[in-house]
Amino acid sequence: MDDDEGFRQFVRDQWAPLVRTAYLLTGDRGTAEDLVQAALEKTHRRWERIDTPSVYVRRAMVNTASSWWRRRRPLEVPLLASDSPVRGDAFVQIEQRQQLLVALRRLPPRTQAVLVLRYFEDLSEADTATVLGCSIGSVKSQASRGLARLRLDFADEAPAQLQEEPC
C-alpha cells in the first residue's frame, strides 16, 4: 500500500472519532470538521515520517484549536443564564449533555483538551501526555482540577433544578 492510499485509509477509519473529538474541543460541528481537515492537512504533509498517526493528528488538532482559541477569544461572548436550555422537559439526557458541554467550554483550553482526550477519547494518562506533549503529572493535575471545576458547576445547578421542578 503506497503512502497516499495509507493516508486515505487512515482518514476513512478515523474520520468519525476525530470529528467527535474536535466537536468536544470546539463545541460546533462545522468548526469541528474544519479543525479535523486542518489537522489532517498538517498530517498529510508529514505522512511518510509519522510513526503514530493517531497521536500526531490529535496533537495537531489540540494545537490548532488552541491557536484558534487565542485568536478568537475576544470575539467569544459567554452564554447568558437565559440562553441555557429549558429544564424539566422529557429530554433530560440531551439537556445534561448540553450542560456538560457548556461547563466544558468554561474551562481553560488545555484543561478542556486533557478532559476530552482522557474521558471522551478514553486515552490513558500516558497517551494523553504524549498527544499534548506534556508530563503525565501535568495531565493528572489538569484532569483533577478540571473535574473538580465541573463538579462544582454541576453542584451549583442541582439546587436550582430541584426548585424549578414541580412536586
Side-chain angles (χ1 to χ4, degrees), residues 65-120:
S66 293
S67 70
W68 289 357
W69 287 321
R70 280 191 291 274
R71 273 187 265 147
R72 293 181 183 170
R73 186 164 304 281
L75 301 176
E76 292 180 13
V77 177
L79 291 176
L80 300 173
S82 62
D83 293 338
S84 63
V86 178
R87 300 185 200 315
D89 63 346
F91 301 102
V92 173
Q93 185 178 8
I94 294 170
E95 185 177 304
Q96 288 174 340
R97 185 177 302 138
Q98 180 64 29
Q99 290 171 349
L100 176 61
L101 290 172
V102 168
L104 192 62
R105 293 288 149 261
R106 289 188 215 134
L107 298 175
R110 189 71 163 187
T111 305
Q112 284 182 31
V114 167
L115 293 178
V116 167
L117 293 172
R118 278 287 290 131
Y119 300 106
F120 290 98

Side-chain angles (χ1 to χ4, degrees), residues 38-74:
L40 287 172
E41 179 183 356
K42 292 175 185 178
T43 303
H44 185 259
R45 285 188 225 143
R46 300 183 183 271
W47 182 253
E48 64 276 351
R49 293 174 279 185
I50 298 173
D51 294 329
T52 52
S54 60
V55 170
Y56 187 92
V57 74
R58 282 179 174 80
R59 177 178 270 174
M61 286 170 48
V62 169
N63 291 341
T64 303
S66 293
S67 70
W68 289 357
W69 287 321
R70 280 191 291 274
R71 273 187 265 147
R72 293 181 183 170
R73 186 164 304 281

